[in-house]
């Protein structure tokens, strides 16, 4: 799975996290959409956890959705160099807990979490197996883990534009697909993973609009194999021309992978299986 996600530069990830404050609403569409779908999955599971762990990189959107449904639940936000997240004021007012440290070594007891959320965290981590193993350690038996991630078709137009314009293959990571994600969950000890994929096309009026949204979400190039140095205006213009040759706007594909699975005790012998369901069967975003 590491090969598919590509190797990330931890220091570059940390710099991106430090540069970004609370995500402006104009750049938060994907965060909100993924949080909505995870909330629908949460409703479908019909659980009422008392302790929720949020390791999301979504500025608190998914955690807020759960908090509205479980008003008495204790919320724990775990962040570190690998995360790009900033809890909202509503979260801080509720006297919840924020952990600062390594996501792969959480200061939490085994079997202490009754629900875990990971909304758009995986793009910032190139060792998902380690994250899933740590979540499996802290989650109580039968606790659900809800995940939203990017799939391999995400930003393929941007990847192609950079390659065509400046011979830069190491610009946009190739993210793990649904089956790799399911396999990683099973390896970590989660059971009965349910996964589905939703592909959307996000319309941009100009390359400049895309660059603004990427900067607002902290989505810079953090690959170890990236070309060092600043991108020149000529290079940026060439990539923009490759994206929007007609000058009339263009679409960028985003493949969203949604998953949930259940923690189990370390001694459990449950038969593990993977199931895929269509996105339509769990409902659509409510307006």
């Amino acid at each position: 799975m590491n090969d598919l996600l590509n190797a990330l530069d931890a220091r570059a990830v940390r710099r991106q996290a430090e540069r970004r404050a609370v995500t402006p609403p104009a750049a938060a569409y994907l965060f909100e959409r993924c949080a909505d779908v995870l909330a629908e999955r949460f409703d479908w599971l019909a659980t009422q956890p008392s302790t929720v762990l949020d390791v999301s990189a979504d500025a608190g959107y998914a955690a807020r959705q759960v908090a509205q449904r479980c008003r008495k639940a204790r919320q724990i936000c775990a962040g570190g160099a690998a995360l790009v997240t900033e809890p909202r004021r509503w979260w801080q007012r509720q006297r919840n807990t924020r952990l600062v440290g390594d996501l792969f070594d959480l200061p939490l007891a085994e079997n202490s979490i009754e629900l875990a959320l990971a909304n758009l965290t995986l793009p910032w981590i190139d060792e998902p197996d380690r994250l899933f193993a740590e979540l499996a350690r802290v989650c109580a038996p039968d606790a659900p883990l809800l995940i939203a991630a990017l799939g391999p078709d995400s930003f393929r137009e941007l990847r192609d534009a950079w390659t065509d314009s400046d011979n830069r293959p190491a610009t946009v990571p190739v993210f793990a697909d649904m089956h790799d994600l399911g396999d990683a969950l099973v390896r970590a000890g989660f059971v009965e993973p349910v996964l589905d994929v939703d592909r959307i096309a996000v319309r941009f009026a100009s390359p400049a609009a895309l660059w603004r949204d990427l900067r607002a979400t902290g989505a810079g190039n953090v690959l170890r194999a990236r070309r060092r140095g600043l991108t020149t205006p000529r290079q940026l213009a060439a990539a923009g021309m490759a994206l929007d040759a007609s000058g009339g706007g263009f679409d960028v594909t985003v493949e969203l992978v949604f998953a949930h699975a259940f923690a189990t005790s370390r001694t459990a012998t449950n038969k593990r299986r993977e199931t895929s369901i269509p996105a339509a069967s769990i409902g659509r975003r409510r307006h």
Side-chain angles (χ1 to χ4, degrees):
M1 203 167 169
N2 288 351
D3 291 340
L4 287 172
L5 284 171
N6 305 316
L8 304 183
D9 181 340
R11 289 194 298 178
V13 172
R14 183 167 57 251
R15 284 196 299 269
Q16 292 289 345
E18 291 170 350
R19 288 173 185 170
R20 178 184 153 210
V22 176
T23 306
Y29 170 71
L30 288 180
F31 296 159
E32 292 175 322
R33 183 184 180 98
C34 291
D36 284 352
V37 174
L38 293 186
E40 290 170 355
R41 279 182 176 257
F42 176 77
D43 292 339
W44 182 39
L45 296 174
T47 183
Q48 280 291 313
S50 60
T51 307
V52 179
L53 173 64
D54 179 29
V55 296
S56 299
D58 68 346
Y61 285 100
R64 183 169 188 172
Q65 290 269 25
V66 172
Q68 291 171 346
R69 292 160 168 80
C70 304
R71 298 191 180 276
K72 294 183 180 181
R74 178 193 177 200
Q75 297 258 359
I76 300 172
C77 173
L83 275 185
V84 183
T85 189
E86 184 67 30
R88 299 280 186 168
R89 291 181 180 177
W90 68 267
W91 190 92
Q92 295 168 331
R93 284 198 302 266
Q94 292 183 340
R95 299 180 181 178
N96 294 306
T97 304
R98 186 177 188 185
L99 305 177
V100 178
D102 189 348
L103 283 179
F104 305 140
D105 186 19
L106 296 168
L108 296 170
E110 290 187 11
N111 304 328
S112 60
I113 299 300
E114 296 182 0
L115 170 68
L117 306 170
N119 187 15
L120 296 177
T121 310
L122 297 184
W124 301 100
I125 294 176
D126 61 0
E127 296 183 281
D129 284 86
R130 289 184 64 194
L131 175 62
F132 292 160
E134 182 64 356
L135 293 177
R137 181 187 71 81
V138 301
C139 282
D142 298 324
L145 166 63
L146 300 176
I147 297 171
L150 298 177
D153 276 349
S154 294
F155 307 114
R156 55 182 172 79
E157 295 88 354
L158 182 58
R159 187 185 300 109
D160 292 345
W162 278 117
T163 302
D164 293 344
S165 65
D166 198 35
N167 193 27
R168 288 190 175 197
T171 301
V172 180
V174 178
F175 305 105
D177 68 19
M178 177 178 69
H179 302 291
D180 291 309
L181 185 59
D183 290 345
L185 287 168
V186 170
R187 284 196 300 270
F190 288 93
V191 296
E192 300 183 16
V194 177
L195 303 101
D196 58 80
V197 173
D198 189 13
R199 291 179 180 84
I200 61 175
V202 182
R203 186 74 178 174
F204 290 92
S206 67
L210 173 60
W211 310 146
R212 284 195 299 269
D213 271 11
L214 291 175
R215 282 193 295 269
T217 56
N221 187 354
V222 295
L223 291 170
R224 290 182 191 172
R226 70 189 184 280
R227 183 180 297 179
R228 307 297 166 142
L230 297 175
T231 300
T232 67
R234 180 193 64 79
Q235 292 166 338
L236 200 62
M241 283 294 296
L243 279 168
D244 189 15
S246 67
F250 59 96
D251 292 336
V252 172
T253 300
V254 180
E255 181 181 9
L256 300 174
V257 180
F258 299 102
H260 74 259
F262 299 92
T264 185
S265 67
R266 294 179 180 273
T267 58
T269 57
N270 303 52
K271 182 180 180 181
R272 298 172 182 177
R273 63 184 184 275
E274 176 180 336
T275 306
S276 298
I277 63 172
S281 68
I282 61 170
R284 310 300 296 175
R285 185 181 179 189
R286 295 183 295 272
H287 295 278

